[in-house]
Amino acid sequence: MRTQLHVAWRLLPNAAADPAYDLAAGVALLDGLAASARPAVRWYAATTPALVIGAGQRLSEIDQPAIRAAGIRVHRRASGGTAVLFVPGFLMQDIALPVGHPLHTPDVTASYAWLGAVWAEALAKLGISATPVSIAAARADTAALDPLVRRACFGGQSPFEVLAAGRKLVGFAQVRRRHGALLQVGVYTTWPGRELADLLALTADERTALTARLAQRVVGLDELLPTPPTVAAIQAAFAHALEHQHGVQLEPTPWSATELKALETASLRFAPLEH
């Protein structure tokens, strides 16, 4: 999908905050579309480890003693899926698109098509050969996916997520509201497969097996390049690809009053879970 929109999207300030803030900020960005109706992008990075589970995931799927022993907090995100481990070196991106925008589509699957293409071009600019997963390939992968691997969100493949060397490098998720969609992106500098497995309610043998299987399916930037790109380099490559494919420029913009109010309200919703 290629459009030539020739417009400026809002680029919110970079953030490196606690998971509750980061999760709330995504929802605030989505809520802000009701007032601004203007696409927005924000980048953020994990600063401390946290386990983030899907909207409908059960707390019984995590290892409570291991969580407490590691001093890790658990949060529940607004999107679906299973467990994601926030660790330093995990770079994330939120993109809010209003209803009616050319890149917003009511088809949940198709909504990732343009994003996968932009990320593939951005990674190529960084020296990484990467390819979005086709719908057919993703569906075949899901049908054959080991139930154990399903316990980790990055273990699965959704249409248009981005693979490098046959392994998942860029993962997607989304949240939808009446006034727009929030597309969420994650990419690891180093894939923390063992650390994630250690926090799930598994036997010792299952942890070993899950770690090995995830290593075959997920890759971090440090396995693909001698020196992983900086956050600034990744952001610049993405901005270049977005402008090249869709004529979009990113314009640094502060949070609006509406978004800040929504962020404050949502922060309570994403507070650490009691476990």
Side-chain angles (χ1 to χ4, degrees):
M1 179 190 302
R2 286 181 181 267
T3 59
Q4 288 298 318
L5 304 180
H6 298 292
V7 294
W9 291 8
R10 300 173 65 222
L11 176 63
L12 279 295
N14 287 356
D18 66 87
Y21 175 95
D22 288 330
L23 294 169
V27 172
L29 204 63
L30 182 55
D31 289 345
L33 290 175
S36 71
R38 185 181 174 196
V41 177
R42 69 179 292 263
W43 296 89
Y44 53 110
T47 55
T48 56
L51 187 67
V52 179
I53 61 176
Q57 191 172 5
R58 299 186 302 273
L59 279 173
S60 60
E61 294 181 33
I62 66 175
D63 187 326
Q64 309 286 359
I67 288 287
R68 287 191 291 270
I72 289 179
R73 292 181 174 181
V74 179
H75 300 260
R76 189 182 298 281
R77 61 182 181 273
S79 57
T82 51
V84 175
L85 186 59
F86 281 28
V87 290
F90 185 37
L91 178 63
M92 291 162 279
Q93 178 192 53
D94 286 342
I95 301 175
L97 292 174
V99 169
H101 188 274
L103 294 179
H104 180 282
T105 171
D107 186 322
V108 174
T109 298
S111 65
Y112 292 130
W114 72 270
L115 186 58
V118 170
W119 265 98
E121 181 177 331
L123 291 166
K125 188 173 179 63
L126 296 169
I128 298 172
S129 177
T131 308
V133 183
S134 70
I135 293 176
R139 288 177 176 170
D141 183 81
T142 298
L145 192 61
D146 183 338
L148 184 60
V149 175
R150 293 179 189 271
R151 302 289 295 274
C153 201
F154 259 70
Q157 294 179 6
S158 294
F160 307 110
E161 290 184 319
V162 183
L163 306 186
R167 294 185 285 170
K168 182 169 169 178
L169 175 61
V170 183
F172 296 153
Q174 67 179 283
V175 181
R176 289 188 164 238
R177 298 287 185 268
R178 178 175 53 84
H179 45 269
L182 177 71
L183 304 182
Q184 299 184 296
V185 180
V187 57
Y188 284 95
T189 298
T190 300
W191 166 242
R194 181 69 206 193
E195 292 87 343
L196 173 59
D198 284 344
L199 299 176
L200 302 180
L202 303 170
T203 66
D205 287 345
E206 287 174 331
R207 285 196 174 99
T208 299
L210 178 58
T211 300
R213 292 170 196 174
L214 288 175
Q216 296 175 339
R217 298 180 58 85
V218 189
V219 66
L221 292 167
D222 59 350
E223 292 188 64
L224 300 169
L225 294 172
T227 302
T230 64
V231 169
I234 296 172
Q235 293 172 335
F238 180 86
H240 180 274
L242 182 62
E243 183 172 12
H244 176 242
Q245 294 192 24
H246 300 290
V248 171
Q249 294 185 340
L250 298 178
E251 178 181 79
T253 310
W255 290 94
S256 70
T258 299
E259 290 165 337
L260 288 173
K261 183 176 181 180
L263 201 164
E264 181 179 0
T265 301
S267 292
L268 296 175
R269 172 184 170 190
F270 295 106
L273 300 175
E274 296 293 334
H275 55 87

